[in-house]
Amino acid sequence: MKLSNKFTLTRVLFAPIFFLLYFIPIWTGKFAALSMYIAIPCLAFAEFTDYLDGHYARKHNEVSDFGKMFDPFADVVLHLTSFICFIKSYNPEISYIPLFVLMLIFIREFSQNFLRMVSAKKGVAIAARKGGKFKTVMYVVAEFYVVFLELLVRTDNVPACFDGLKLASLIIFVICVICSYASFIDYLVHFGNTLKDD
């Protein structure tokens, strides 16, 4: 496997690791703070590999149709996994992402994946466009904002303004939904013709 694709694979592998680190304290009632102290660097490294795979793909001339599809797939696996985690908190009264928002994001990502599969079948590899990249940036912002809030919860450092901070997370996720559908429309405009005659 090419070095760039190994970095991409890292995101896929770190998704279940983050999931376990996030939920073990919820399941067991133990290691609340420790879990986040480990999970946050793991998530940061996983997200950093998104830069590394592109950097080394260009540096070593490893850009390929496989990489163009594997990279967004790895992004989706990591981001959807983290968003699923954010339905729950160590505090059972807290949820950071409403189910309907998560459902909208799932529908968008699976629809985009379907478009990529159909296009690939017809010999067209859909690379990330600017709108898709900005959507990914917003997903990352949402991820780290929520893990910061969850760190406050798990270290018993919840400020008086926490409800306002949690409301901000909802606003960020709504922006994620808007950006995700705007970028999907952009992909349909440029690659939707691959769906014709099917």
Side-chain angles (χ1 to χ4, degrees):
M1 180 179 282
K2 297 175 181 177
L3 179 60
S4 56
N5 291 332
K6 288 180 180 178
F7 281 121
T8 304
L9 179 61
T10 300
R11 292 201 294 288
V12 177
L13 298 177
F14 268 68
I17 293 174
F18 178 80
F19 181 87
L20 289 174
L21 287 169
Y22 190 92
F23 273 103
I24 284 175
I26 295 174
W27 296 331
T28 66
K30 300 177 180 178
F31 314 114
L34 178 62
S35 67
M36 297 309 294
Y37 290 141
I38 299 173
I40 291 174
C42 285
L43 183 62
F45 177 73
E47 292 294 357
F48 184 56
T49 63
D50 196 14
Y51 162 77
L52 294 176
D53 61 17
H55 172 75
Y56 283 100
R58 291 184 293 271
K59 181 178 180 180
H60 297 161
N61 195 27
E62 296 177 351
V63 177
S64 65
D65 288 346
F66 175 80
K68 291 177 182 178
M69 296 185 66
F70 192 32
D71 178 63
F73 169 78
D75 288 343
V76 169
V77 169
L78 180 61
H79 295 150
L80 292 188
T81 299
S82 64
F83 289 175
I84 289 172
C85 292
F86 300 154
I87 292 175
K88 296 186 71 68
S89 166
Y90 189 68
N91 182 336
E93 297 180 359
I94 295 175
S95 175
Y96 298 105
I97 180 170
L99 277 176
F100 79 92
V101 172
L102 183 62
M103 179 193 70
L104 289 173
I105 291 175
F106 262 76
I107 291 172
R108 186 275 182 194
E109 296 302 339
F110 279 104
S111 298
Q112 177 69 21
N113 187 54
F114 178 76
L115 177 61
R116 289 186 189 279
M117 288 190 300
V118 173
S119 298
K121 183 180 178 182
K122 296 187 177 182
V124 179
I126 299 180
R129 293 178 56 79
K130 288 183 179 180
K133 291 180 179 179
F134 182 74
K135 178 268 300 183
T136 299
V137 169
M138 287 307 305
Y139 280 11
V140 174
V141 169
E143 276 182 336
F144 283 98
Y145 184 76
V146 170
V147 294
F148 166 70
L149 296 184
E150 185 64 7
L151 179 63
L152 295 179
V153 170
R154 298 192 185 195
T155 56
D156 293 322
N157 288 309
V158 177
C161 62
F162 188 80
D163 286 342
L165 295 175
K166 194 159 72 71
L167 176 60
S169 70
L170 174 59
I171 294 171
I172 292 172
F173 279 119
V174 170
I175 293 173
C176 286
V177 170
I178 294 171
C179 291
S180 68
Y181 277 88
S183 68
F184 182 58
I185 292 171
D186 177 59
Y187 282 111
L188 284 176
V189 168
H190 287 86
F191 301 100
N193 60 329
T194 59
L195 299 175
K196 294 179 179 179
D197 302 324
D198 283 325

